[in-house]
Every structure is written in C-alpha cells, then in structure tokens.
Amino acid sequence: MNFLAQPDTAQTDGLVGWITGLMDTIGGPGAGLAVALENLFPPIPSEVILPLAGFAASRGTMSLLGAILWTTLGSLVGAVVLYYLGAWLGRDRTRAIAAKLPLVKVSDVDRTEAWFARHGTKAVFLGRMVPIFRSFISLPAGVERMRLSAFLVLTALGSLIWNTALVLAGYLLGQSWWIVESYVGIFQKVVVVAVVVAVVWFVAARVVRMRKARA
C-alpha cells in the first residue's frame, strides 16, 4: 500500500507520483535525490518534496531524523554543483555575457560583485530559506570563488533550517501535508512579485536614463 499519496487526490501521477515512488523505493536517499534535483531544476518545488518526506517519516518509510539529514545532504549536493558551475563561468565570462545583454552594463556586474563581497555570507545563508533564490544564490558564490568551506557551512545551516521546518510540518500534519505547499506557495508568489517589480523598475530606470543621455 502506498502511504504517501495525497488523500484528496485520486491519482499520484506526475511530479508527486514520481517523488512518492522514489521515497517508497529507496527511502531517505530518495528524498535526498529529489531535493538535489530541486536545487538544479527550480520548477521542482521543495514545498512538495520536504512535506512529503515528513509524511513518509510519519508513516515509517524513513525516520524523521533521516528525512531531515538526507534532504539537507541533497540540498548541499545540488548547491555544490551550482557553485562549481558559477566557478566555471567565472568573472570574465560573466562580464562578457553582461556586455552583450541589452540594458545591462559591465558596471552592473562590478556593483553586484562589490555587494556580494560585503554581504555574500548573509546572502548564501539566508538565501537558502527563500524560494527561487535557494538555488540561484550558489551561482554568484561560485563566480566570486567564495571560500568553499564557508560556502558549505552556510549552505548546510541554511538548508537545515528550511528543510527541518518543512519536513516537521509534513510529519505533524500527516495526510494533510499538502497544506504546507499552499502556505509556502503564497511566500513564493510574494517573492516572484518582488522580483518582477525589481526587474521592471530596473528596466524603466535604465531606459529613462538612456533617453536622457541621448537628449
């Protein structure tokens, strides 16, 4: 009998079904693998994987501690892959890409680097607890060649806090684990709106500045 199925859903196909099958088959390592892939492919939502892992722990598919540790290990593995991708890109490639983008200047990259030099440790730690930024924060850390030991510690701590909260919620809610997705989804929408507003403001300000310069 499959204990991980959402009680209000007749079928467990698609993403939830895949995660369910993975955890049913290999337990904690399956949860870790799903989270590692979530870091590399952000459309796979942690707000689904982590509560499901908690629900699996409540049903005995894995232990609660195992669910937390395996998912945190998965977060770390995914983040390290992105860190090295950022390191491969490097500053020169990043600046070259920025120079080819419309409305973006190399000086924008310089300012971003200066900001990351001042706030990088806080950004990596807190970024692990913010949807969307959870994955992408590893890229600038790699580009700027943040000390790997510091990156690993900050990523592990931030991921541990986020994962523990969502796994525990799924564990306590049991068959109502999907409620976690609803609330975290609201948080994610707020983040998306904030990002869109910031991008629109940046583009508008840059266009106005360019028109003034031409005038």
Side-chain angles (χ1 to χ4, degrees), residues 5-209:
Q6 181 176 330
D8 294 337
T9 305
Q11 298 179 346
T12 56
D13 53 356
L15 179 60
V16 172
W18 178 78
I19 298 170
T20 296
L22 201 57
M23 294 183 191
D24 278 344
T25 304
I26 54 178
L33 175 59
V35 171
L37 292 174
E38 174 262 328
N39 279 260
L40 299 174
F41 305 100
I44 301 177
S46 63
E47 61 266 26
V48 171
I49 300 170
L50 297 173
L52 261 176
F55 181 37
S58 73
R59 289 295 194 175
T61 303
M62 67 186 89
S63 69
L64 178 59
L65 180 60
I68 293 172
L69 293 181
W70 276 110
T71 54
T72 300
L73 178 61
S75 297
L76 198 57
V77 169
V80 168
V81 172
L82 290 174
Y83 173 90
Y84 278 110
L85 176 59
W88 174 79
L89 281 172
R91 302 171 81 178
D92 293 339
R93 284 193 180 96
T94 302
R95 292 165 69 88
I97 292 171
K100 295 178 181 179
L101 294 175
L103 303 178
V104 177
K105 300 178 181 178
V106 174
S107 59
D108 295 327
V109 177
D110 295 335
R111 284 193 291 270
T112 301
E113 289 180 347
W115 181 90
F116 197 86
R118 294 193 303 270
H119 307 290
T121 54
K122 290 179 287 186
V124 170
F125 173 69
L126 296 174
R128 297 303 307 177
M129 294 174 270
V130 180
I132 300 175
F133 291 100
R134 282 171 44 75
S135 298
F136 294 121
I137 194 61
S138 301
L139 289 171
V143 170
E144 295 302 314
R145 297 297 179 95
M146 172 183 277
R147 193 157 48 93
L148 183 58
S149 58
F151 174 78
L152 291 175
V153 170
L154 292 166
T155 299
L157 289 176
S159 299
L160 181 62
I161 293 172
W162 175 262
N163 293 359
T164 299
L166 269 65
V167 169
L168 273 176
Y171 183 86
L172 296 173
L173 287 170
Q175 291 188 351
S176 299
W177 63 267
W178 48 270
I179 294 175
V180 180
E181 179 188 2
S182 302
Y183 283 99
V184 177
I186 295 172
F187 180 31
Q188 180 168 317
K189 289 175 182 177
V190 171
V191 173
V192 170
V193 169
V195 171
V196 170
V197 169
V199 170
V200 170
W201 177 86
F202 172 82
V203 171
R206 185 57 52 87
V207 169
V208 169
R209 194 176 306 167

